[in-house]
Amino acid sequence: MKEHLIVRELLPLASADMLETDQEHLVQQHLLHCPECRAEYSQWNGIAGALKAIPIPQAPQRLVIQTRRLLYSTVSARKHQASKVGLSLLVIFSWMVAFMTLGFVRMLDVPLTRWLDVSSTTLWVVYIGISWFATALAAGILGKRYQQEGRTI
């Protein structure tokens, strides 16, 4: 009796070919022995066949084009906004790192100039050069990644 109730619930899905293999096997085995379920399955097959025969309405081409344009512009605007926020955060982070390392370099200025046997000006020029190089490298990597993803800033 329990199998009968289970199969009865599966009949609409079976008529639409939406069952998994084991469920389909269960339904087919039950239909061999149950005339009541066979009759109901036949009715569901008729309904499914009639539904498949109904033509699928198509949206007007103009509406499809307008909808695609609207979606594309909305998604593009959001991506552009996210890019601006991301780049702004990157700039803020770079300034924070620069100011933090600036204090560190000031603290080590005299010992480093003595240890490396260079002038203080040379040390600062190297520090600024390395900072700019690291920033340019990060910007280049970010730009390359954006280019590979097909995005623009």
Side-chain angles (χ1 to χ4, degrees):
M1 186 66 176
K2 183 178 176 184
E3 179 184 309
H4 179 75
L5 295 175
I6 292 172
V7 169
R8 230 176 145 157
E9 289 180 9
L10 293 175
L11 289 177
L13 295 173
S15 66
D17 295 327
M18 296 184 68
L19 292 180
E20 294 180 11
T21 308
D22 57 336
Q23 292 173 328
E24 181 70 34
H25 182 70
L26 174 70
V27 169
Q28 292 303 324
Q29 290 300 316
H30 182 78
L31 290 177
L32 293 174
H33 307 292
C34 182
E36 183 182 335
C37 287
R38 249 193 327 266
E40 188 174 339
Y41 181 69
S42 177
Q43 288 176 342
W44 281 112
N45 272 340
I47 293 170
L51 287 174
K52 287 178 185 175
I54 296 174
I56 299 172
Q58 297 294 320
Q61 188 66 21
R62 185 172 160 225
L63 177 63
V64 171
I65 292 170
Q66 287 176 341
T67 304
R68 284 184 181 161
R69 284 183 185 158
L70 179 63
L71 285 172
Y72 180 74
S73 66
T74 303
V75 169
S76 294
R78 286 184 182 162
K79 282 184 178 180
H80 188 68
Q81 184 66 25
S83 293
K84 283 182 178 178
V85 170
L87 289 174
S88 300
L89 291 174
L90 184 62
V91 167
I92 291 169
F93 177 74
S94 345
W95 278 101
M96 287 173 41
V97 169
F99 282 122
M100 287 189 300
T101 59
L102 179 67
F104 184 70
V105 171
R106 277 188 184 160
M107 185 175 70
L108 295 177
D109 182 17
V110 174
L112 275 176
T113 54
R114 285 186 193 148
W115 183 62
L116 295 173
D117 195 27
V118 293
S119 70
S120 182
T121 306
T122 305
L123 183 68
W124 283 105
V125 168
V126 169
Y127 166 72
I128 291 169
I130 290 172
S131 300
W132 285 9
F133 177 74
T135 303
L137 183 65
I141 291 170
L142 184 64
K144 187 69 172 173
R145 184 170 148 228
Y146 271 32
Q147 185 181 28
Q148 288 172 345
E149 292 176 358
R151 300 187 318 182
T152 58
I153 298 174

